[in-house]
Amino acid sequence: MEQVLSILLYIAAAGLLVVLALGIINLTRRDERQASRSNMLMRWRIGIQAVAIMILVAMGVAAGAISFGG
């Protein structure tokens, strides 16, 4: 289980890197859709970061470092 979560975390990190790169590339563009595209990429980045944090918490629970309830 921990190995699957580790692979998922790497996938989430790679996705985050791609979205960040697209955001930087989008900053250099000067068209009428640049602002809305930046907003969309920011929402994607926040979503991917939330998924990555959930995976980290699941890894902590699977490893026994985090316990809920008692």
Side-chain angles (χ1 to χ4, degrees), residues 2-34:
E2 291 178 34
Q3 187 175 13
V4 172
L5 290 172
S6 180
I7 291 169
L8 289 175
L9 184 63
Y10 283 122
I11 291 171
L16 184 59
L17 184 64
V18 168
V19 172
L20 284 171
L22 289 173
I24 291 171
I25 291 168
N26 188 54
L27 287 175
T28 63
R29 300 177 81 174
R30 296 291 173 214
D31 59 359
E32 63 277 353
R33 294 193 54 220
Q34 190 261 345

Side-chain angles (χ1 to χ4, degrees), residues 12-70:
L16 184 59
L17 184 64
V18 168
V19 172
L20 284 171
L22 289 173
I24 291 171
I25 291 168
N26 188 54
L27 287 175
T28 63
R29 300 177 81 174
R30 296 291 173 214
D31 59 359
E32 63 277 353
R33 294 193 54 220
Q34 190 261 345
S36 65
R37 200 170 26 250
S38 286
N39 195 358
M40 179 197 64
L41 289 169
M42 180 66 75
R43 282 188 240 132
W44 271 96
R45 184 182 62 83
I46 291 170
I48 293 172
Q49 283 179 333
V51 169
I53 291 170
M54 285 187 262
I55 293 169
L56 282 173
V57 170
M59 287 175 75
V61 170
I66 301 173
S67 62
F68 294 106

